[in-house]
Amino acid sequence: MAAELNARPVGGTETSWCRAVPGGTGITVLAFLLSKSPKMLNLQTALHKIQNSHPILSSRLHTNPKTNTFSLVTSPTSYVQLKSFNLSSTLNILETLANPSNRSVSPLHLICEHELNENTWQHHNTADPDQDMFFASIYALPGTTWVLVLRLHVSACDRTTAVSLLRELAGLMSGRDEGKEREVVVKKKIGNKGEVNLGIEDLIPSGKANKGLWLRGMDMLSYSVNSLRLANLKFKDNKSARFSQVVRLQMNRDETQRVLNGCKARGIKLCALFVAAGLIAVDKCSKHRLDYKMKYGVVTLTDCRSSLDPPLSDHHFGSYHSAILNTRTTKGGETLWELANKTYKAFASSKNSNKHFSDMADLNFLMCKAVENPTLTSSSSLRTSFMSMFEDPVIDDSSDVQREAGMEDYMGCASVHGVGPSIAIFDTIREGRLDCICVYPAPLHSREQMQELVDNMKKILVDCDSNV
């Protein structure tokens, strides 16, 4: 009875993540490079404090095998499985990941990739249908350094949650006790749904998600038919088992400021400029003729917290992002800023029309159908778009607190090798420097191929002043 009172069915968006995660899309990873020896008891205490402040991190995902449905069940006690790998174990793991394409990749980078592919949710145990949502691991490295990794199910942890989790953990580890504020659980009069935060669908303002049956049917048909006509980055190997890999795009302060100033002067957001650079770069990598038109799918993820009813703060953990899918056509002769302006206008128009709410159910349904029927996608690749971006970058100016906690560097992203884009970009501006974690499905795409794509994107962005 207690479990029933502290449980609720997952919402539509959460359901799509629950369907996607077993295949390898939707595993959030935060990996920290530490220069201070982590005290296991203190770290465990810090993680428990964060769980106590945010009930969804203590919840378990319950699977009903008869109906193939999911529920979130609040655990009465906070508990996170904290694994520890000594130096020998860590080196063995790194050795298994060693290959020519990984020679220049740091241990932090490799461990982040390793954790992206540790899929705790891949197989349902019928004897124990409840699964934890939150895991933590410590890896010892040579030279008195360590990597701390937090791994979470995306239905409990979108990017905003991951950023808040980073800040709270850094505060607790530095002694500033940033995790002491307890999250206020939002409830609405829609039945007894327990103490787990409500899903995004239950908080959409009245009328914002309305769509007539005929219009919904037409939109569903349009999305599904158009997806078959979208171009993709060339696939290298669409037969072998897939896993997620990462390439990193970093800029210095001057380069970052030049890019941001260009966006500000034109009244567009960084996401549009990134998409434009990506589209120009993919055409260059694919060696299309200048007069050859190509149509690509682009997904922009927007944090809906501030526009929900009631509005939520960044302190509310869970999955509250929604997607807007647009198609962009590239043709020879377009400049970077011209394509960026068109991209931003299309996105802004869709958002002003509330498509991030009204199309939510349609895109969730199509995502689940793609998971169940890979042949619906090009070459059974499960690629639903060329690129995904967030509407706004993360602004991280908390390096002082992170250094006090011994955090020298970090990487945060989510896996995409099940269903999703060819490249998912997680952008952060850290102390004025742009740092992007770009995740892609391997070996569908190779590291060399994606490194070339990202290098071309960076060159296009750095040269943005000349691309007018």
Side-chain angles (χ1 to χ4, degrees):
M1 180 65 70
E4 291 176 3
L5 292 176
N6 289 299
R8 68 163 175 85
V10 298
T13 300
E14 293 164 336
T15 295
S16 67
W17 288 121
C18 291
R19 298 265 190 257
V21 166
T25 291
I27 300 169
T28 298
V29 167
L30 279 170
F32 308 90
L33 181 65
L34 304 179
S35 59
K36 294 181 180 179
S37 176
K39 298 179 180 178
M40 299 298 285
L41 181 59
N42 291 348
L43 178 57
Q44 188 81 63
T45 300
L47 294 175
H48 285 171
K49 282 186 177 181
I50 292 172
Q51 283 185 302
N52 288 332
S53 298
H54 306 283
I56 198 166
L57 297 188
S58 297
S59 63
R60 306 195 79 199
L61 184 64
H62 175 81
T63 304
N64 186 328
K66 294 182 179 179
T67 59
N68 198 24
T69 56
F70 307 90
S71 302
L72 287 174
V73 182
T74 302
S75 174
T77 58
S78 59
Y79 174 76
V80 59
Q81 182 180 348
L82 182 56
K83 288 186 177 181
S84 180
F85 297 89
N86 60 24
L87 180 57
S88 176
S89 299
T90 302
L91 292 177
N92 285 338
I93 292 172
L94 294 177
E95 186 177 348
T96 63
L97 301 173
N99 62 59
S101 68
N102 292 342
R103 285 173 183 167
S104 60
V105 178
S106 69
L108 171 66
H109 188 142
L110 287 176
I111 290 173
C112 179
E113 289 185 347
H114 171 69
E115 285 279 341
L116 282 173
N117 298 290
E118 287 291 295
N119 197 338
T120 312
W121 305 277
Q122 190 168 11
H123 303 290
H124 297 304
N125 184 350
T126 54
D128 183 10
D130 294 342
Q131 295 178 297
D132 292 327
M133 309 280 279
F134 185 19
F135 300 87
S137 301
I138 287 282
Y139 296 83
L141 292 174
T144 62
T145 55
W146 297 262
V147 174
L148 166 64
V149 183
L150 307 181
R151 177 164 36 91
L152 305 98
H153 196 291
V154 165
S155 66
C157 180
D158 62 6
R159 189 178 67 155
T160 300
T161 295
V163 172
S164 296
L165 178 57
L166 182 159
R167 290 171 178 161
E168 290 190 20
L169 181 61
L172 288 165
M173 291 177 66
S174 66
R176 298 194 182 192
D177 201 17
E178 298 289 338
K180 62 186 177 183
E181 182 183 355
R182 184 173 178 82
E183 177 181 322
V184 177
V185 178
V186 176
K187 296 182 181 180
K188 295 181 72 175
K189 293 182 179 179
I190 52 176
N192 182 6
K193 295 213 172 183
E195 295 184 357
V196 178
N197 277 0
L198 297 181
I200 186 172
E201 289 82 5
D202 292 329
L203 302 174
I204 295 175
S206 178
K208 292 290 182 71
N210 289 354
K211 186 190 287 190
L213 182 62
W214 174 254
L215 181 58
R216 187 173 297 281
M218 291 297 293
D219 282 349
M220 291 279 282
L221 182 63
S222 175
Y223 278 134
S224 56
V225 171
N226 284 340
S227 67
L228 299 175
R229 300 173 180 171
L230 296 177
N232 292 282
L233 184 64
K234 185 178 179 181
F235 302 138
K236 294 294 185 178
D237 177 358
N238 66 331
K239 302 295 184 183
S240 303
R242 288 177 202 145
F243 50 94
S244 287
Q245 286 188 320
V246 171
V247 292
R248 203 166 181 178
L249 188 160
Q250 294 176 298
M251 294 185 185
N252 61 35
R253 278 195 178 92
D254 290 340
E255 293 166 342
T256 301
Q257 198 56 52
R258 199 156 62 243
V259 167
L260 296 177
N261 287 343
C263 291
K264 184 177 180 181
R266 292 164 177 83
I268 66 174
K269 292 193 174 185
L270 180 63
C271 61
L273 185 64
F274 252 102
V275 168
L279 294 176
I280 293 172
V282 71
D283 271 349
K284 183 177 180 180
C285 292
S286 302
K287 298 179 173 61
H288 294 144
R289 300 193 315 268
L290 286 179
D291 61 343
Y292 197 78
K293 293 184 179 181
M294 301 296 292
K295 184 179 287 187
Y296 297 94
V298 176
V299 171
T300 308
L301 297 164
T302 182
D303 188 351
C304 298
R305 283 172 173 78
S306 62
S307 53
L308 296 177
D309 178 25
L312 305 181
S313 72
D314 291 352
H315 195 67
H316 283 83
F317 283 19
S319 187
Y320 296 105
H321 275 74
S322 185
I324 291 177
L325 173 62
N326 290 121
T327 57
R328 299 302 317 144
T329 301
T330 61
K331 56 184 179 181
E334 282 186 300
T335 68
L336 173 68
W337 291 111
E338 184 181 9
L339 188 53
N341 271 299
K342 290 180 179 179
T343 298
Y344 185 65
K345 285 180 181 178
F347 165 72
S349 175
S350 295
K351 188 174 180 183
N352 289 337
S353 301
N354 294 314
K355 289 182 77 67
H356 55 308
F357 288 138
S358 62
D359 286 8
M360 187 183 297
D362 301 343
L363 294 178
N364 288 336
F365 175 79
L366 291 173
M367 182 176 179
C368 291
K369 285 300 175 185
V371 170
E372 296 166 3
N373 304 278
T375 54
L376 295 176
T377 59
S378 176
S379 302
S380 298
S381 64
L382 286 171
R383 293 312 97 195
T384 54
S385 64
F386 160 61
M387 176 187 287
S388 70
M389 276 289 301
F390 289 88
E391 179 183 1
D392 297 299
V394 172
I395 307 298
D396 184 5
D397 295 320
S398 58
S399 60
D400 289 344
V401 179
Q402 291 170 22
R403 279 192 289 269
E404 288 179 29
M407 295 179 181
E408 299 297 319
D409 193 11
Y410 68 84
M411 299 174 69
C413 55
S415 60
V416 297
H417 63 269
V419 59
S422 284
I423 182 169
I425 299 179
F426 298 79
D427 53 334
T428 303
I429 298 175
R430 299 168 60 181
E431 298 298 317
R433 300 181 183 90
L434 190 61
D435 184 6
C436 301
I437 309 301
C438 308
V439 191
Y440 62 93
L444 190 67
H445 301 300
S446 67
R447 194 185 296 277
E448 293 80 8
Q449 179 189 27
M450 301 308 287
Q451 189 66 60
E452 180 188 8
L453 176 70
V454 169
D455 287 346
N456 282 328
M457 287 176 61
K458 179 178 178 178
K459 186 178 186 305
I460 292 166
L461 291 168
V462 170
D463 294 340
C464 65
D465 288 344
S466 60
N467 287 301
V468 294

